[in-house]
Amino acid sequence: MASLASLIPLVLFLLVALAASIVVRRRADAAGGGFVNSYFIGNRALGGFVLAMTTIATYGSVSSFVGGPGQAWQIGFGWVYMAVVQVTALVLLYGIFGKKMALISRKLDAVTVVDVIRARYGSNALANLSALVIVLFFAATMVAQFVGGAKLFEAVTGYSYLVGLALFGVAVILFTTIGGFRGVAVTDTLCGIMMLVGIVVLAGGILTAGGGYEALMTSIKETSPEMLEPFAGGAMPPSLYFTQWLLVGVFTFVLPQSVVRTMGYKDVKSLHRAMIWGTVIIGAMMIGVTSLGVLTAGVLTEDLAAYGGSVDNIIPTVITASLPPALAGIAIIGPVAASISTVSSLLISSSSAIIKDVYLHWCDDRGHMPSQRSVALSSQAVTLAVGLLVFVLSIVPPDVIWKINMFAFGGLETAFLFVLVCGLFWKRANATGALLSLAGGTLAYCAAMAAGFKVADLHQIVIGVAVAGVLMVVGTLAGKQKEDARMDVFFPPHSRRGGTTRRPRTVFARRARFFYEWDFGARTSLYRRGSLFNGLLGLQKL
């Protein structure tokens, strides 16, 4: 039965987010700076809290709130221990890429990750292939988000799947088309806040329905004691821990939708604050919601078949079982907000890949650049078209959304791990190695996933990354650096007083010197010389 009380909070949230997008867009237009920089990178003006929340909201998809806790309901605390690695996601992202990507993107006036790849390797083929891979894997992820949000909406409110799909599908397309990068960042922040609110409301419902924490734990211990063990009675083998830690933790710093955030903040202080805020919030969010999945086992005590045979149904079921309609409407804002924030971020990245990385570069090669108005209209049209395509693909929903999300995660990580890391930190890396790594690694990963082939029971990302790494080295040794590669920007020479040039003797000294001399301005230095650890993590300034 449809419940208007559970629908009202969600509709109000969507209206507030839409209003925020409109306000942000008007302010961005008033500030100037050109449409491309404004729409695709927000004029590089994100503060610390907004930077942290938009990165978290992009990283934390609907599967984090539906599929992940559903798996925890089935497996136990072993799934929570696996999820703990997600706390490192922002530290790795901001620490490894945060400052160098910001400096390089400003020097190049780059607004997308593909811009940086094109400049580093001097290869249009590599840049175009990167854009294609981004759009394809983003489309798969967006379908999973639309489906997950609409299924949750249907289960909690009683309205049909198509009504839910239409409601927030149209909303998120409007957010992104109107607001651009900065609008997405602001709505992501609102979504991130509502994710935390949703977790708190759901926690209260589960604890109340189960008679308190001790009663829930006692029930779990009596009915499924293996859920309290790290290896969950064999359901969480060491191989699963290892590969999931790589997939959702260690390798996530190369996801293009996250890397582009490191190009959009305004100063070093914002980056430092984002690292602190982000680590605390993502830890509370990911560990908290996964732990709630375990506690749900003390409320929903029947087997999986009783709940539709899919772990994706567990959280919607416990929301409706433990909360009154009005609170249920507030609780679902969290997962729906996770879906909206992920889709909006991927939409703007897909649009930038098509317009900025392919179309505008094609126009530039032919010496005929379109007007700002033409770029604005085409960018918004592409954003709208990609959103509508994903919406249509979501009408017939696939099963097990968390698996689709993990597939896309693995594909993007395989494709860009060595392309980005070697491009930024290995001077010898060239376009031949990068092209072979991206294409060969991605094909190997997809083929292994399609065939269900594993090595030592490890997730297929291990195969993809291994192939990508080998091909990067082989291709680099066989190929040569292209003349168009902007090596002077990525690995600049260093000058001493008096005009002579001295090359630091170690790679660590060169890296420290690079970040010491390159800065946003005279007021803020990036790294303290001689401190490699603080240089990597960006925790000190002069």
Side-chain angles (χ1 to χ4, degrees):
M1 179 179 170
S3 172
L4 183 62
S6 60
L7 179 63
I8 290 175
L10 178 60
V11 172
L12 290 175
F13 169 74
L14 295 177
L15 291 175
V16 170
L18 180 59
S21 294
I22 295 172
V23 170
V24 168
R25 176 62 185 276
R26 287 179 176 176
R27 290 185 177 180
D29 289 343
F35 177 82
V36 171
N37 276 288
S38 173
Y39 191 76
F40 291 128
I41 204 65
N43 287 330
R44 309 186 199 278
L46 299 185
F49 182 72
V50 173
L51 174 64
M53 294 304 290
T54 186
T55 308
I56 292 170
T58 301
Y59 175 81
S61 64
V62 71
S63 65
S64 302
F65 285 79
V66 177
Q71 285 292 118
W73 171 87
Q74 189 174 47
I75 292 174
F77 279 104
W79 201 261
V80 179
Y81 304 147
M82 182 277 295
V84 168
V85 73
Q86 296 175 89
V87 175
T88 65
L90 269 66
V91 172
L92 292 173
L93 172 66
Y94 297 149
I96 296 174
F97 286 157
K99 291 180 178 172
K100 191 163 186 178
M101 284 294 290
L103 293 167
I104 288 172
S105 65
R106 283 163 168 79
K107 187 72 173 180
L108 297 170
D109 197 26
V111 300
T112 69
V113 174
V114 177
D115 278 344
V116 175
I117 292 174
R118 192 193 305 273
R120 168 60 179 86
Y121 294 104
S123 170
N124 287 332
L126 176 62
N128 292 334
L129 181 60
S130 299
L132 177 63
V133 168
I134 285 173
V135 172
L136 290 178
F137 281 114
F138 279 6
T141 304
M142 286 188 282
V143 168
Q145 303 312 305
F146 273 133
V147 170
K151 281 186 172 181
L152 181 67
F153 177 89
E154 179 184 30
V156 175
T157 66
Y159 291 90
S160 71
Y161 170 84
L162 290 178
V163 171
L165 186 64
L167 179 64
F168 69 86
V170 170
V172 73
I173 293 171
L174 287 176
F175 296 161
T176 313
T177 303
I178 294 172
F181 182 88
R182 194 183 295 185
V184 167
V186 172
T187 55
D188 281 355
T189 302
L190 295 175
C191 289
I193 293 170
M194 291 311 301
M195 289 181 209
L196 293 172
V197 172
I199 291 172
V200 172
V201 172
L202 180 57
I206 292 173
L207 291 173
T208 301
Y213 180 78
E214 291 186 7
L216 288 169
M217 292 300 294
T218 300
S219 175
I220 294 171
K221 185 176 181 180
E222 291 175 352
T223 58
S224 305
E226 70 279 0
M227 292 181 65
L228 305 180
E229 301 172 3
F231 297 107
M236 285 290 296
S239 61
L240 183 58
Y241 270 111
F242 175 69
T243 51
Q244 287 296 312
W245 281 342
L246 295 180
L247 189 62
V248 302
V250 177
F251 289 160
T252 57
F253 75 95
V254 297
L255 293 172
Q257 64 267 38
S258 297
V259 175
V260 74
R261 264 69 188 160
T262 66
M263 301 162 63
Y265 62 89
K266 62 182 179 180
D267 53 30
V268 174
K269 184 180 292 185
S270 298
L271 179 66
H272 292 171
R273 288 176 176 172
M275 186 179 291
I276 296 170
W277 275 106
T279 301
V280 172
I281 294 172
I282 199 171
M285 189 179 292
M286 299 305 172
I287 297 173
V289 74
T290 311
S291 299
L292 290 181
V294 179
L295 296 181
T296 300
V299 178
L300 305 181
T301 56
E302 300 182 57
D303 60 19
L304 188 60
Y307 308 112
S310 172
V311 294
D312 292 339
N313 297 329
I314 297 302
I315 292 301
T317 302
V318 78
I319 288 176
T320 57
S322 63
L323 293 170
L327 289 179
I330 295 174
I332 67 165
I333 293 177
V336 170
S339 172
I340 289 172
S341 60
T342 301
V343 172
S344 61
S345 298
L346 299 187
L347 265 181
I348 198 69
S349 296
S350 298
S351 176
S352 66
I354 295 170
I355 295 296
K356 178 64 175 68
D357 300 326
V358 178
Y359 172 65
L360 289 182
H361 186 78
W362 179 81
C363 292
D364 187 45
D365 284 346
R366 281 150 184 79
H368 177 68
M369 291 299 292
S371 65
Q372 287 285 320
R373 178 175 174 78
S374 176
V375 173
L377 291 175
S378 58
S379 298
Q380 292 172 324
V382 167
T383 303
L384 182 62
V386 173
L388 290 175
L389 175 62
V390 173
F391 177 85
V392 171
L393 293 174
S394 305
I395 291 175
V396 180
D399 293 327
V400 197
I401 55 175
W402 72 272
K403 288 187 177 180
I404 300 174
N405 208 54
M406 290 301 99
F407 166 72
F409 257 46
L412 290 168
E413 290 165 359
T414 299
F416 292 101
L417 176 62
F418 293 102
V419 172
L420 288 175
V421 172
C422 293
L424 292 180
F425 300 107
W426 187 25
K427 188 174 183 178
R428 191 171 177 180
N430 58 42
T432 304
L435 193 58
L436 287 175
S437 177
L438 191 151
T442 304
L443 288 174
Y445 170 76
C446 292
M449 288 291 290
F453 178 72
K454 294 183 179 182
V455 175
D457 201 33
L458 299 174
H459 189 277
Q460 289 86 350
I461 191 175
V462 175
I463 297 173
V465 166
V467 171
V470 171
L471 290 177
M472 170 59 85
V473 174
V474 171
T476 295
L477 296 178
K480 295 182 179 179
Q481 203 71 252
K482 288 187 174 291
E483 294 182 359
D484 293 337
R486 297 290 305 275
M487 302 301 290
D488 59 313
V489 174
F490 288 82
F491 302 95
H494 306 281
S495 300
R496 299 178 64 185
R497 291 180 182 176
T500 60
T501 300
R502 176 173 64 87
R503 179 181 175 84
R505 287 177 290 180
T506 69
V507 70
F508 304 116
R510 290 197 296 272
R511 184 176 300 166
R513 185 80 175 264
F514 171 86
F515 285 118
Y516 177 73
E517 293 181 352
W518 278 54
D519 202 349
F520 297 164
R523 293 179 58 190
T524 309
S525 293
L526 294 183
Y527 292 93
R528 185 182 299 280
R529 261 188 283 196
S531 176
L532 173 63
F533 177 78
N534 289 322
L536 288 173
L537 297 185
L539 294 177
Q540 283 188 318
K541 62 181 182 180
L542 291 178

